[in-house]
Amino acid sequence: MITQEQLVAVTGCAAHTAQGQRVGAVDYVLVDDTTGRPEWARITDRASGLGGVFVPLREAVLEDGRLVVPYAVAVIEQAPCAALDCGSVLSVAEEERLFGHYGIRDVRDEVNAEGGAGWAKMDRAQTIREGTAGQEQDRSRLRSARPGQ
């Protein structure tokens, strides 16, 4: 898992698979509004044409100055290219599509599944899920971790 202390080093570094294949470069990292944890990296590669794909950082590590992610290049290339035009935000709906694509669960769902405790009361994403339809397209629980923002 990438820590807050590693954010500066991750932004701009090369991203590779666990097998050593280069995926591209990290444009920026999205950090959870509630926890402050790095959640997603946006990766692009101009040479291969990979344009703005989000990769989860939950199982990623920083090794020798590069981001290593536990996903094959084919999986990353097929990820929903969410939020290409909005710069540094993913809506809750886009993030849910990405969770589905990578086969992972939202950490809030895992915490809330354990006895109903956890983040539901302080998580605005939970409110959106329970609230009126349509708002989840416009809301986000993530923010950019770009230096100076």
Side-chain angles (χ1 to χ4, degrees), residues 32-37 107-108 111-112 116-130 139-142:
D32 185 287
D33 272 347
T34 307
T35 65
R37 286 193 319 206
V107 71
R108 284 169 178 64
V111 170
N112 288 332
W119 312 31
K121 293 191 188 315
M122 64 182 182
D123 181 15
R124 63 185 165 147
Q126 182 69 21
T127 304
I128 292 168
R129 285 187 199 107
E130 294 169 355
R139 302 293 297 269
S140 172
R141 66 175 185 82
L142 302 165

Side-chain angles (χ1 to χ4, degrees), residues 6-140:
Q6 295 173 316
L7 284 176
V8 173
V10 169
T11 302
C13 77
H16 290 78
T17 66
Q19 294 75 34
Q21 292 177 289
R22 187 177 190 285
V23 179
V26 177
D27 285 340
Y28 57 86
V29 173
L30 294 178
V31 177
D32 185 287
D33 272 347
T34 307
T35 65
R37 286 193 319 206
E39 292 285 341
W40 299 95
R42 183 172 182 228
I43 298 174
T44 58
D45 186 20
R46 307 284 184 247
S48 71
L50 183 66
V53 176
F54 287 95
V55 177
L57 293 175
R58 191 175 296 171
E59 301 294 324
V61 293
L62 191 62
E63 287 182 359
D64 300 322
R66 62 187 187 155
L67 179 69
V68 179
V69 296
Y71 302 99
V73 172
V75 172
I76 295 168
E77 288 176 342
Q78 294 172 6
C81 291
L84 287 178
D85 297 329
C86 67
S88 59
V89 177
L90 279 175
S91 72
V92 172
E94 289 168 330
E95 188 177 25
E96 287 177 357
R97 280 194 297 277
L98 287 166
F99 281 138
H101 174 75
Y102 287 106
I104 58 177
R105 291 179 62 188
D106 185 342
V107 71
R108 284 169 178 64
D109 293 338
E110 293 172 9
V111 170
N112 288 332
E114 297 170 6
W119 312 31
K121 293 191 188 315
M122 64 182 182
D123 181 15
R124 63 185 165 147
Q126 182 69 21
T127 304
I128 292 168
R129 285 187 199 107
E130 294 169 355
T132 60
Q135 289 182 355
E136 61 271 7
Q137 294 295 332
D138 301 325
R139 302 293 297 269
S140 172

